[in-house]
Amino acid sequence: PSCGEWNTLVEIPRGRAGEKPSWLSYSPGTSQELSKVTLEDFPRLVLDMGEANRVLGGGLVRGSLVLVGGDPGVGKSTLLLQLSAALAMNSGPVLYVSGEESSQQIKLRAERLGIVGQGLHVLAETDMAAILRHLDILSPTVAMIDSIQSVAFSDHPAGPGTLGQVRECGLALLRWAKAKGTPTFVTGHVTKEGNLAGPRALEHMVDVVLYLEGSNLGSYRLLRGEKNRFGSTNEVGVFEMRDKGLTQVLNPSEVALASRDRHAVGSVVVPVMEGTRPLLVEIQALTTPSSLPTPRRVANGVDMSRLLMVIAVLIKRAGIHLSGQDIIVNVAGGFRAMEPAVDLGMALALASSLRNTPLLDSMAALGEIGLGGELRNISQLPRRLAELKHMGFDTCLGP
Ligand code: TYD
Ligand code: MG
């Protein structure tokens, strides 16, 4: 409807010739009492890379389809190749299919990463039907498809990367992964708007969606769970892109606080929980007198509605005159701190900036702020405090 033109609707036939519609080839399974279902033959495949395991919820689940999204060049192919090599060494043959690079190009990358590649089979192919045949022939322990936008069914009228192709290829891989019980990774490019181009439809069908982020992190990369049918989605894996590929960062708090100015105005350290792991982040606030009738509020990495609430509470309950101020609140280093526990940190950072006075540099803060101006309890206090202590903080303001 948006183009306002006639005769622009194009029909894309779905069924391929000779193929039975899926509702006719349906074979009924059997129901089972839940108490009788065993998990013995359903182990998770534990990856060599702890940071990837963490985001996956403790390893790869049989038959799961995992989508790894990210900007071009962020390191998706590198991550998949490194995972492939480790899996091939420990768990059995892996098929790495690239629709973007030739076998020689993959070899060049592998050499750079120090990967010999025993048990790691590579296939440079864009034809989805051929890929499925190879998957059946090799029957690998894990399959990797790099990327969903580069592969296509040749008998499908739409071109590679279009919504129709991405959906058909995704569905075919989903069916294959479920039928064989083989964990399968698929990469997808993200557009500038932050959507997976085409693969938005894919997000709903896959089991796990991971994003590899790195735009304002320098050489650091965050692997973030967006959806996970088998684990928490709050988990973040931290990596650094080095000359020999992605290496795990085992103490991300150090990274998050690396370039912190200890005496900066409007800066507070808050221990947030990223899934099961405490992480120290630096909340920064900047207030400047506004010339606009409606002052601006910008939230980077914090929840906008919580920021607005904290501002309102400060004005009403604490007599802090933020009304005429443009306000920017930022989590340093591209991290995110969306939980209510950062309320107090935001409030202190705002007050610090408004009064142009730094806070104690060895002090952290955490606590949820209620509308009455009260400080409320937060979860997992001991773990957060342990991380603070570990990183050398001796004071923490809290409920
Ligand atoms: P790549 O995995 O090709 O990104 P994607 O598949 O997401 O498009 O990553 C390419 C970038 O990573 C490129 O800018 C070079 C860099 N890189 C390293 O810094 N070190 C390495 O060992 C490798 C293989 C790549
Ligand atoms: Mg790539």
Side-chain angles (χ1 to χ4, degrees):
S2 57
C3 68
E5 301 285 324
W6 286 101
N7 299 327
T8 52
L9 202 62
V10 181
E11 182 190 6
I12 300 172
R14 272 198 87 170
R16 283 175 291 284
E19 188 186 296
K20 258 203 226 168
S22 53
W23 63 88
L24 288 181
S25 52
Y26 169 72
S27 63
T30 47
S31 67
Q32 219 179 341
E33 198 183 298
L34 185 58
S35 64
K36 305 258 163 58
V37 177
T38 61
L39 289 173
E40 267 151 36
D41 53 349
F42 202 74
R44 282 187 189 238
L45 202 57
V46 177
L47 302 174
D48 204 17
M49 234 180 220
E51 292 295 290
N53 271 328
R54 170 198 298 284
V55 183
L56 287 166
L60 268 176
V61 172
R62 272 193 62 188
S64 58
L65 187 59
V66 181
L67 176 64
V68 180
D71 290 316
V74 73
K76 300 180 294 297
S77 303
T78 308
L79 177 67
L80 250 55
L81 197 60
Q82 285 181 264
L83 288 177
S84 301
L87 281 164
M89 294 267 282
N90 303 328
S91 312
V94 175
L95 182 60
Y96 176 94
V97 182
S98 178
E100 299 177 347
E101 290 164 304
S102 66
S103 308
Q104 287 78 15
Q105 285 170 321
I106 300 170
K107 179 78 182 174
L108 280 178
R109 187 196 294 267
E111 283 193 336
R112 195 168 160 186
L113 299 171
I115 292 170
V116 182
Q118 269 149 350
L120 171 54
H121 299 253
V122 296
L123 171 68
E125 180 62 77
T126 55
D127 182 28
M128 196 60 211
I131 292 170
L132 289 170
R133 270 200 303 282
H134 279 278
L135 286 171
D136 275 336
I137 294 167
L138 187 67
S139 213
T141 319
V142 178
M144 310 269 181
I145 314 294
D146 187 18
S147 64
I148 192 72
Q149 279 110 339
S150 65
V151 298
F153 280 110
S154 53
D155 55 354
H156 192 285
T162 56
L163 186 61
Q165 278 287 8
V166 164
R167 192 171 48 207
E168 288 300 316
C169 294
L171 269 177
L173 286 169
L174 184 71
R175 275 192 221 113
W176 183 84
K178 301 285 168 211
K180 290 275 183 173
T182 308
T184 303
F185 283 85
V186 178
T187 66
H189 300 302
V190 172
T191 59
K192 288 217 178 60
E193 297 77 49
N195 293 338
L196 281 171
R200 256 274 110 95
L202 215 56
E203 279 190 21
H204 302 291
M205 66 171 92
V206 301
D207 300 301
V208 180
V209 179
L210 308 179
Y211 277 98
L212 192 60
E213 297 172 0
S215 49
N216 45 14
L217 292 168
S219 63
Y220 293 104
R221 301 285 182 273
L222 298 183
L223 187 64
R224 197 184 286 285
E226 280 289 323
K227 164 182 177 179
N228 193 346
R229 289 196 177 135
F230 319 111
S232 150
T233 50
N234 301 320
E235 298 288 357
V236 171
V238 186
F239 297 90
E240 186 176 4
M241 181 64 94
R242 301 235 186 104
D243 54 348
K244 283 198 163 63
L246 290 162
T247 35
Q248 310 185 66
V249 174
L250 297 174
N251 191 351
S253 290
E254 250 164 44
V255 174
L257 300 185
S259 34
R260 169 172 172 249
D261 173 0
R262 299 175 67 97
H263 307 289
V265 163
S267 153
V268 182
V269 169
V270 179
V272 297
M273 295 303 293
E274 288 275 18
T276 52
R277 168 168 64 186
L279 173 71
L280 303 192
V281 294
E282 180 190 359
I283 309 278
Q284 302 176 321
L286 187 66
T287 62
T288 48
S290 179
S291 54
L292 300 168
T294 316
R296 263 191 304 182
R297 273 87 175 90
V298 180
N300 291 322
V302 294
D303 187 341
M304 178 59 108
S305 59
R306 295 216 74 85
L307 171 61
L308 295 178
M309 188 209 68
V310 167
I311 294 170
V313 171
L314 285 178
I315 293 171
K316 180 96 177 175
R317 310 278 176 207
I320 294 177
H321 301 290
L322 289 164
S323 322
Q325 303 280 325
D326 284 333
I327 291 174
I328 304 172
V329 174
N330 184 36
V331 181
F335 289 87
R336 282 195 225 168
M338 295 291 185
E339 40 167 354
V342 299
D343 289 355
L344 181 62
M346 286 199 277
L348 289 173
L350 286 167
S352 162
S353 177
L354 189 74
R355 298 191 175 162
N356 214 16
T357 313
L359 292 148
L360 277 178
D361 67 343
S362 61
M363 184 190 77
L366 83 171
E368 177 182 347
I369 292 178
L371 291 185
E374 81 279 16
L375 209 50
R376 308 179 73 102
N377 257 325
I378 46 125
S379 62
Q380 314 220 39
L381 195 58
R383 306 193 59 178
R384 300 178 200 249
L385 294 180
E387 179 72 1
L388 279 173
K389 198 168 171 192
H390 176 66
M391 292 295 292
F393 288 80
D394 56 20
T395 315
C396 182
L397 272 186

